[in-house]
Amino acid sequence: MKRILTILLIALSCASATEAQQKKKIGNETPAQKEQRMAWWSHDRFGMFIHFGTYAMAARHEWVKRYERMTNEQYQPYFDLFNPDLYNPKEWAKRAKAAGMKYAVLTTKHHEGFCLFDSKFTDYKATNTPFKRDLVKEFVDAFRAEGIKVGFYYSLLDWHHPDFPIDILHPQQPANDSDTAYARLNKGRDMAKYRKYLHDQITELLTKYGKIDIMWLDFSYPGNKGHGKGKEEWGSVELLKLIRKLQPGIIVDNRLDLDDYEDGADFATPEQVKPSELKSQYDGLPFETCQTFSGSWGYYRDENSWKSNHDLLTLLITSVSKSGNLILNVGPTARGTFDYRAERALDSIGLWMHVNNRAIYGCKEAPASFEAPENTMLTYNPSTKRLYVHLMKYPSGTITLAGYAGNVKYTQFVHDNSEVKREVKGKDLVLTLPVLQPPYTIPVIEVVLK
Ligand code: GLC
């Protein structure tokens, strides 16, 4: 009897230990339902981020209000003069499409608090500027018309709202960071009221603009001695329930501070990381890496460190080779156009994507049994059973696919379907390449598997 009791006790304690490790759940979606909801996103792989707001006028980073510790009064001219007269999202959508981007996410409100949409809960919006138009409405219509899925970025932070408590990231953060200074500055500010504003605005965004494919909330910084913000402040659990209720098919990022929940996010958001730092799994989540062409997200006139076409394609290929997505950002100018450097970058990506996109769409990490030759990266399409060898550095003469010999039916370049001759050498397959690199930054060989 005693033995049985001990066994029972051990079993019970084991059960509670696994329970403790198990994450909580907010909804009741099954893994199969989730896979179906995420299917287009996992297939499409490549999106456009657009950071647009009054900070485009300052043209020196979207965090300019914070970096220069500006007051609302100092920031006001950007609102009073906001007039992106060349704003034509149809053109943006055409450029995104030509670059091979399948979805686009626009900042409906960034940390500065300025709303590009006609919200009934604030006066601090585009329709009250000289421009007078609802940019979000026009964006949604234009991108949908091109067959591009639409997403909304929405900043959880708000450096303009009078009820948003001043914290460690706010432009008016007290210099000495003392509790008493925060208390004095935050007298009269009411987080509950801001939280309501946030939930009300998300409701507007998800009810007034038709089907929205992605909700990109940004971001949480809980703790910080009570001067950060996270799930309690945002009301994240309620907010996520609201989002899922209003748009059941929507895909949500992981910046609501809901890591404790199994279904608190759909994808991880490694930001501006090097390709080599990307991983296939982020605590069970797939990733979408968000990247800029240059340093900042908003238009930055004097920033000159722009990534090369090779850098950008490397980001895209590496993402797909680890079963993830890439969302590449454009920060339009205050006239509402893409900067010439962004246009050039998009055009070059488009040139490559036009003929190489079957090595990207529908592709994922290659099965572990296929080894990537030196200076190459592999992507794999499980439905067509084709493997793609991306030649990151063009080899001279030949390339050896070690151990592939028994598995391969045919090999060809993707950009022109020209055969790449192969020769079996034991277990390996040796491919003979043209001496001159084909005219693509990263040529791709398609390996048709048996
Ligand atoms: C951030 C930044 C920001 C940008 C974003 C995109 O954390 O605050 O300005 O919008 O992430 O990932």
Side-chain angles (χ1 to χ4, degrees), residues 49 51 62-63 110-111 153 216 218-219 255 271 290 297:
F49 222 158
H51 275 66
E62 77 282 356
W63 277 57
H110 203 260
H111 309 334
Y153 168 106
W216 221 105
D218 193 34
F219 62 86
R255 295 194 177 179
E271 177 175 332
C290 43
W297 299 87

Side-chain angles (χ1 to χ4, degrees), residues 173-368:
Q173 175 193 16
N176 63 10
D177 238 1
S178 74
D179 290 349
T180 46
Y182 277 115
R184 188 167 34 80
L185 284 167
N186 282 328
K187 223 167 146 212
R189 289 178 182 253
D190 183 349
M191 188 62 206
K193 281 195 190 151
Y194 175 72
R195 187 161 48 241
K196 176 153 189 335
Y197 174 74
L198 155 64
H199 290 219
D200 283 344
Q201 285 207 318
I202 297 288
T203 304
E204 279 185 319
L205 286 169
L206 298 184
T207 51
K208 284 176 54 186
Y209 299 91
K211 184 171 187 298
I212 303 306
D213 302 290
I214 295 173
M215 188 78 233
W216 221 105
L217 297 150
D218 193 34
F219 62 86
S220 300
Y221 43 111
N224 290 295
K225 299 194 184 123
H227 308 300
K229 288 182 179 64
K231 57 177 176 287
E232 258 83 65
E233 286 76 17
W234 313 132
S236 294
V237 171
E238 289 316 307
L239 187 58
L240 189 59
K241 282 185 185 163
L242 175 71
I243 292 169
R244 297 225 182 279
K245 188 179 87 188
L246 297 176
Q247 296 271 348
I250 205 164
I251 294 175
V252 186
D253 73 337
N254 71 336
R255 295 194 177 179
L256 268 172
D257 185 27
L258 292 175
D259 293 352
D260 296 347
Y261 294 83
E262 195 184 311
D263 53 355
D266 291 322
F267 64 93
T269 54
E271 177 175 332
Q272 301 279 57
V273 296
K274 291 201 198 87
S276 57
E277 288 164 24
L278 289 168
K279 307 177 292 181
S280 311
Q281 283 285 323
Y282 286 76
D283 202 12
L285 292 178
F287 72 86
E288 170 195 76
T289 181
C290 43
Q291 301 273 345
T292 58
F293 286 135
S294 62
S296 87
W297 299 87
Y299 175 60
Y300 200 132
R301 184 190 56 208
D302 303 332
E303 226 282 336
N304 289 315
S305 61
W306 285 58
K307 295 185 178 90
S308 69
N309 182 239
H310 196 282
D311 293 338
L312 296 168
L313 291 176
T314 301
L315 277 167
L316 178 61
I317 296 161
T318 311
S319 299
V320 180
S321 80
K322 295 187 186 295
S323 303
N325 288 17
L326 168 67
I327 187 163
L328 204 49
N329 180 73
V330 182
T333 74
R335 298 289 302 272
T337 56
F338 288 0
D339 175 75
Y340 68 98
R341 291 162 292 188
E343 287 187 352
R344 209 159 52 194
L346 289 169
D347 286 350
S348 313
I349 293 172
L351 268 177
W352 188 88
M353 278 296 275
H354 183 60
V355 289
N356 288 296
N357 69 41
R358 71 175 192 264
I360 298 294
Y361 302 142
C363 290
K364 57 186 287 208
E365 185 162 14

Side-chain angles (χ1 to χ4, degrees), residues 99-171:
M101 292 154 154
K102 296 281 196 180
Y103 60 96
V105 178
L106 172 71
T107 52
T108 58
K109 178 192 90 167
H110 203 260
H111 309 334
E112 62 175 1
F114 177 70
C115 296
L116 295 186
F117 61 107
D118 189 13
S119 169
K120 73 170 187 224
F121 301 103
T122 183
D123 293 330
Y124 200 53
K125 56 182 176 183
T127 44
N128 284 348
T129 66
F131 192 54
K132 293 198 172 73
R133 285 150 58 183
D134 182 328
L135 288 91
V136 172
K137 169 95 181 60
E138 292 182 33
F139 158 81
V140 161
D141 292 344
F143 278 72
R144 273 201 203 116
E146 288 294 340
I148 297 175
K149 293 213 160 48
V150 292
F152 289 158
Y153 168 106
Y154 181 91
S155 171
L156 299 164
L157 289 72
D158 194 312
W159 298 331
H160 182 268
H161 197 284
D163 277 307
F164 186 87
I166 288 163
D167 58 26
I168 54 148
L169 298 178
H170 197 278

